[in-house]
Amino acid sequence: MTVPEIEPSAIPADAYLLDVREQDEWMAGHAREAVHIPMTQIQGRVDEVPSDRTVYVVCRVGGRSLQVAAWLNQLGHEAVNVGGGMQSWESAGRALVSETGEPPFVA
Protein backbone atom coordinates (compact mmCIF):
# COMPACT_ATOMS: atom_id res chain seq x y z
CA MET A 1 0.00 0.00 0.00
CA THR A 2 1.29 3.42 -0.95
CA VAL A 3 0.90 6.05 1.75
CA PRO A 4 0.35 9.65 0.66
CA GLU A 5 2.97 12.10 1.90
CA ILE A 6 2.89 15.85 2.46
CA GLU A 7 5.49 18.48 3.23
CA PRO A 8 5.02 20.32 6.54
CA SER A 9 4.52 23.65 4.75
CA ALA A 10 1.49 22.22 2.90
CA ILE A 11 -0.42 20.98 5.96
CA PRO A 12 -3.66 22.94 6.37
CA ALA A 13 -3.93 25.18 9.43
CA ASP A 14 -6.98 23.28 10.72
CA ALA A 15 -5.47 19.82 10.16
CA TYR A 16 -5.66 16.96 12.64
CA LEU A 17 -1.94 16.42 13.30
CA LEU A 18 -1.11 13.17 15.09
CA ASP A 19 2.35 13.04 16.69
CA VAL A 20 3.40 9.41 17.28
CA ARG A 21 6.78 10.08 18.93
CA GLU A 22 7.66 8.94 22.44
CA GLN A 23 6.95 11.06 25.52
CA ASP A 24 10.49 12.49 25.85
CA GLU A 25 10.47 13.59 22.21
CA TRP A 26 7.05 15.22 22.65
CA MET A 27 8.16 17.03 25.81
CA ALA A 28 11.21 18.51 24.08
CA GLY A 29 9.26 20.06 21.22
CA HIS A 30 6.07 19.56 19.27
CA ALA A 31 3.55 21.42 17.15
CA ARG A 32 1.12 23.29 19.39
CA GLU A 33 -1.87 21.92 17.48
CA ALA A 34 -0.72 18.29 17.51
CA VAL A 35 -2.39 15.42 19.35
CA HIS A 36 0.06 13.05 21.03
CA ILE A 37 -0.47 9.30 20.82
CA PRO A 38 2.86 7.44 20.84
CA MET A 39 3.26 4.72 18.22
CA THR A 40 3.57 2.18 21.04
CA GLN A 41 0.05 3.11 22.21
CA ILE A 42 -1.77 3.66 18.91
CA GLN A 43 -3.41 0.24 18.71
CA GLY A 44 -5.04 0.64 22.11
CA ARG A 45 -6.03 4.25 21.47
CA VAL A 46 -7.11 4.14 17.83
CA ASP A 47 -10.67 5.10 18.81
CA GLU A 48 -9.28 8.54 19.70
CA VAL A 49 -8.24 9.11 16.06
CA PRO A 50 -11.01 10.69 13.96
CA SER A 51 -12.27 8.64 11.03
CA ASP A 52 -14.23 11.48 9.43
CA ARG A 53 -11.28 13.66 8.41
CA THR A 54 -7.73 13.41 7.11
CA VAL A 55 -5.15 12.55 9.76
CA TYR A 56 -1.63 13.93 9.23
CA VAL A 57 0.83 11.65 11.03
CA VAL A 58 4.24 12.90 12.15
CA CYS A 59 7.25 11.50 14.00
CA ARG A 60 10.90 12.60 14.14
CA VAL A 61 12.00 11.84 10.56
CA GLY A 62 9.06 10.01 8.96
CA GLY A 63 9.61 6.28 9.52
CA ARG A 64 7.28 5.62 12.44
CA SER A 65 4.64 7.96 11.06
CA LEU A 66 4.74 6.12 7.73
CA GLN A 67 4.01 2.84 9.52
CA VAL A 68 1.19 4.35 11.58
CA ALA A 69 -0.33 6.10 8.55
CA ALA A 70 -0.26 2.83 6.57
CA TRP A 71 -1.94 0.98 9.44
CA LEU A 72 -4.60 3.68 9.84
CA ASN A 73 -5.30 3.57 6.10
CA GLN A 74 -5.74 -0.21 6.31
CA LEU A 75 -8.37 0.39 9.00
CA GLY A 76 -10.24 2.76 6.68
CA HIS A 77 -8.92 6.10 7.91
CA GLU A 78 -7.56 8.70 5.53
CA ALA A 79 -4.00 9.14 6.81
CA VAL A 80 -1.10 11.08 5.30
CA ASN A 81 2.55 10.86 6.34
CA VAL A 82 4.35 14.13 7.08
CA GLY A 83 7.50 13.86 4.97
CA GLY A 84 10.71 14.32 6.92
CA GLY A 85 8.83 14.41 10.21
CA MET A 86 9.41 17.02 12.88
CA GLN A 87 12.89 17.66 11.56
CA SER A 88 11.32 18.93 8.33
CA TRP A 89 8.66 20.76 10.35
CA GLU A 90 11.36 22.67 12.20
CA SER A 91 13.37 23.28 9.02
CA ALA A 92 10.26 24.71 7.34
CA GLY A 93 10.03 27.29 10.13
CA ARG A 94 6.84 25.88 11.62
CA ALA A 95 6.36 26.73 15.29
CA LEU A 96 7.31 24.40 18.13
CA VAL A 97 6.39 24.42 21.81
CA SER A 98 7.91 22.43 24.64
CA GLU A 99 6.52 21.01 27.85
CA THR A 100 9.77 21.48 29.80
CA GLY A 101 9.99 25.25 30.23
CA GLU A 102 13.09 25.18 28.02
CA PRO A 103 13.26 26.36 24.39
CA PRO A 104 11.65 23.72 22.14
CA PHE A 105 13.71 21.47 19.89
CA VAL A 106 13.23 18.26 17.93
CA ALA A 107 14.58 15.39 20.01
Side-chain angles (χ1 to χ4, degrees):
M1 171 183 276
T2 302
V3 176
E5 189 168 280
I6 191 169
E7 293 302 314
S9 60
I11 297 172
D14 63 345
Y16 184 91
L17 182 64
L18 175 62
D19 191 322
V20 298
R21 295 175 302 148
E22 292 302 317
Q23 184 69 24
D24 62 325
E25 295 172 292
W26 170 264
M27 297 288 290
H30 59 86
R32 180 179 309 280
E33 63 273 22
V35 174
H36 184 226
I37 304 176
M39 181 180 181
T40 56
Q41 298 176 16
I42 193 69
Q43 287 185 344
R45 296 177 61 189
V46 69
D47 290 343
E48 297 175 39
V49 179
S51 58
D52 61 345
R53 60 190 291 202
T54 302
V55 176
Y56 297 88
V57 188
V58 67
C59 66
R60 183 171 182 262
V61 295
R64 289 173 284 178
S65 55
L66 178 66
Q67 292 175 48
V68 171
W71 182 72
L72 288 171
N73 285 334
Q74 287 178 344
L75 295 179
H77 290 261
E78 184 179 334
V80 177
N81 186 43
V82 178
M86 289 304 295
Q87 287 184 339
S88 290
W89 181 277
E90 184 176 44
S91 293
R94 306 274 322 240
L96 292 171
V97 295
S98 80
E99 301 294 321
T100 64
E102 300 294 322
F105 68 96
V106 177

